[in-house]
Amino acid sequence: MKQIKLNLERNVSSSYDICIGHNILDRIGLIIAKNNGAHRHIVIADSTVSALHGDSFLDILRKMNLTADLIEFPAGEASKNMDTILSVARQLIELGADRSSALIALGGGVTGDIVGFVASIYMRSIPYIQVPTTLVAQVDSSIGGKTGIDLPEGKNLLGTFYQPKGVFIDLQFLDTLPDYEFNNGLAEIVKYGIIDDVTLFDLLENQTEDIKKRDMTLMKRIVQQSCTIKRGIVEIDEKDVGIRRILNFGHTIGHAVEAESGYTISHGDAVSVGMIAAARICQKLDYLPSADRKRIETLIRALDLLDHIPESISTPGILSRIATDKKKKGHIVHFVLLKRIGVPFINGSVADRIIHETIEELRK
Ligand SMILES: NC(=O)c1ccc[n+]([C@@H]2O[C@H](COP(=O)([O-])OP(=O)(O)OC[C@H]3O[C@@H](n4cnc5c(N)ncnc54)[C@H](O)[C@@H]3O)[C@@H](O)[C@H]2O)c1
């Protein structure tokens, strides 16, 4: 099992370990029992993860003589709302959870965001642990302490920064993860290679077929490298006011495409085509060499991620969503651009004409 320490210098007591391995649930149970000191643990999982892994995870905790219960909510982004928060909080009260209890988020990013949010406000905050079960959650959402829920007006509009006490990543959970969800995680991993680590990018290029087969040794290495990158960014910019924004590479156009499709395009596909759009913009602005732009496009295609914007999604629709985003964020769209693979920078101004031209080029 590999351990990566996330150090928050201004807040040392909030630092924690990210533990990564394959088939390590027993050891996770042992570490939780040894370190956590909570009188009881409440595992929170969505309906899908609860059915697949809930009982076996509870058994592991109980084998360690821990008092453990499980709360379940319906799977899906639609659950990431205030009703779920209130329902979970009331079930916690019913179970008698108090400030000596700890929550465990067993699931994907939706579960992690919900549990982190509840933990940050329940009885003025109680500890929580992340046990991520999707690739997105393993390489991204479980690390960094961003919690939140959606409002009808938009995603992640209510939330807190609240760090978990630990993140335990068992690659074994990927065995039951559908391809659609696996690909969502792959898109974020490609993003890490592009914005931070050319060696990761090389690895992804050279091992595409084994990645698609989910070779576990390789996936462990890739998840470790991804977690190390996310850890490094969070350590510098815990509250997302500076460098953490580079994690939005590909997301400006990607989010607009995803929303304009009515969420029929997956987040991973939307970000993938958004990264291709961003790379093309970088080349048009003479920042990125064309060889790097081509490598990005070739990798995205090789991993079977989306490389074009379907005709059904209108250009004016995408542009208007980017403009709305701009208004919300004070008239500046923070475009993350690249000088080369591994060297990103943030630019507040890309001319609408160039965005428009790039979207049109990405039609098939
Ligand atoms: N807090 C952050 O920093 C951060 C970062 C990125 C994304 N997010 C949030 O994360 C969410 C997306 O995360 P996600 O893609 O993990 O979504 P998710 O949690 O909805 O999981 C996707 C689906 O996979 C299922 N699933 C989970 N683990 C499984 C497994 N091992 N086997 C089979 N099925 C499994 C879930 O039940 C769900 O249906 C979004 O709400 C997004 O806003 C948060």
Side-chain angles (χ1 to χ4, degrees):
M1 190 168 75
K2 166 98 175 163
Q3 253 167 302
I4 300 170
K5 181 110 194 143
L6 192 152
N7 286 306
L8 293 164
E9 267 183 23
R10 275 192 250 168
N11 193 356
V12 179
S13 65
S14 297
S15 301
Y16 53 94
D17 285 332
I18 303 159
C19 302
I20 306 164
H22 185 229
N23 226 337
I24 53 164
L25 284 186
D26 281 331
R27 287 173 74 186
I28 293 176
L30 203 64
I31 296 174
I32 292 176
K34 214 173 120 204
N35 292 352
N36 196 260
H39 286 137
R40 62 186 306 172
H41 292 80
I42 293 100
V43 179
I44 302 177
D46 73 24
S47 43
T48 305
V49 174
S50 169
L52 288 167
H53 304 290
D55 285 343
S56 51
F57 191 75
L58 271 184
D59 281 351
I60 281 165
L61 297 180
R62 288 176 180 157
K63 247 183 13 204
M64 302 295 157
N65 291 323
L66 295 170
T67 308
D69 293 285
L70 186 128
I71 293 177
E72 186 184 308
F73 65 89
E77 181 74 27
S79 283
K80 224 177 91 168
N81 59 33
M82 210 56 190
D83 290 344
T84 308
I85 300 295
L86 294 176
S87 157
V88 168
R90 291 207 172 108
Q91 290 178 73
L92 287 173
I93 291 164
E94 245 170 66
L95 286 168
D98 60 18
R99 298 196 70 192
S100 67
S101 310
L103 306 186
I104 300 181
L106 177 70
V110 165
T111 305
D113 281 6
I114 288 173
V115 176
F117 190 51
V118 172
S120 70
I121 56 176
Y122 185 76
M123 296 194 174
R124 302 200 169 86
S125 85
I126 59 172
Y128 78 113
I129 292 163
Q130 291 272 16
V131 182
T133 62
T134 62
L135 191 55
V136 167
Q138 295 190 338
V139 298
D140 187 2
S141 59
S142 66
I143 302 162
K146 266 200 207 177
T147 85
I149 55 160
D150 306 334
L151 290 178
E153 289 79 3
K155 270 176 63 70
N156 298 318
L157 291 179
L158 290 182
T160 53
F161 285 94
Y162 187 57
Q163 299 295 341
K165 290 287 171 208
V167 180
F168 296 98
I169 300 174
D170 192 335
L171 277 292
Q172 203 191 348
F173 286 119
L174 299 183
D175 290 350
T176 56
L177 194 68
D179 285 342
Y180 177 92
E181 304 299 345
F182 185 78
N183 286 348
N184 280 336
L186 277 189
E188 300 299 336
I189 291 168
V190 169
K191 181 191 74 183
Y192 286 137
I194 295 174
I195 59 166
D196 196 87
D197 186 352
V198 77
T199 64
L200 174 61
F201 194 90
D202 291 343
L203 180 70
L204 298 175
E205 271 180 331
N206 294 332
Q207 308 276 344
T208 313
E209 290 312 311
D210 287 335
I211 293 169
K212 288 200 267 186
K213 286 186 208 139
R214 306 191 192 186
D215 176 279
M216 267 310 144
T217 311
L218 180 61
M219 285 313 297
K220 191 171 161 211
R221 193 168 151 203
I222 289 171
V223 169
Q224 275 172 13
Q225 271 181 262
S226 301
C227 290
T228 305
I229 293 168
K230 176 88 192 250
R231 182 274 310 262
I233 294 171
V234 171
E235 280 183 345
I236 298 171
D237 181 19
E238 184 190 356
K239 295 281 166 72
D240 202 3
V241 289
I243 193 179
R244 196 161 169 176
R245 289 188 192 144
I246 63 170
L247 292 169
N248 287 331
F249 179 73
H251 283 59
T252 308
I253 292 178
H255 273 156
V257 168
E258 187 184 11
E260 195 56 22
S261 78
Y263 294 92
T264 54
I265 291 188
S266 71
H267 182 69
D269 273 341
V271 168
S272 297
V273 76
M275 291 193 288
I276 292 182
R280 289 196 180 194
I281 289 171
C282 297
Q283 191 189 333
K284 283 179 202 293
L285 296 175
D286 281 334
Y287 293 124
L288 185 72
S290 96
D292 278 18
R293 194 262 305 153
K294 281 189 193 139
R295 282 179 75 190
I296 291 170
E297 294 194 12
T298 306
L299 177 60
I300 286 172
R301 274 184 209 115
L303 289 170
D304 302 329
L305 296 167
L306 190 69
D307 68 347
H308 67 280
I309 301 175
E311 285 296 346
S312 55
I313 303 172
S314 84
T315 303
I318 298 170
L319 290 172
S320 114
R321 290 197 185 257
I322 295 173
T324 311
D325 210 30
K326 192 179 347 188
K327 267 193 217 132
K328 275 193 208 145
K329 291 176 183 153
H331 295 274
I332 292 180
V333 175
H334 290 287
F335 251 101
V336 184
L337 299 177
L338 292 173
K339 292 196 175 144
R340 56 174 192 274
I341 293 173
V343 186
F345 65 103
I346 293 169
N347 188 324
S349 61
V350 172
D352 287 351
R353 178 186 57 79
I354 293 181
I355 302 175
H356 186 283
E357 188 183 292
T358 307
I359 292 170
E360 283 302 308
E361 263 177 39
L362 287 171
R363 301 292 178 182
K364 261 216 167 141

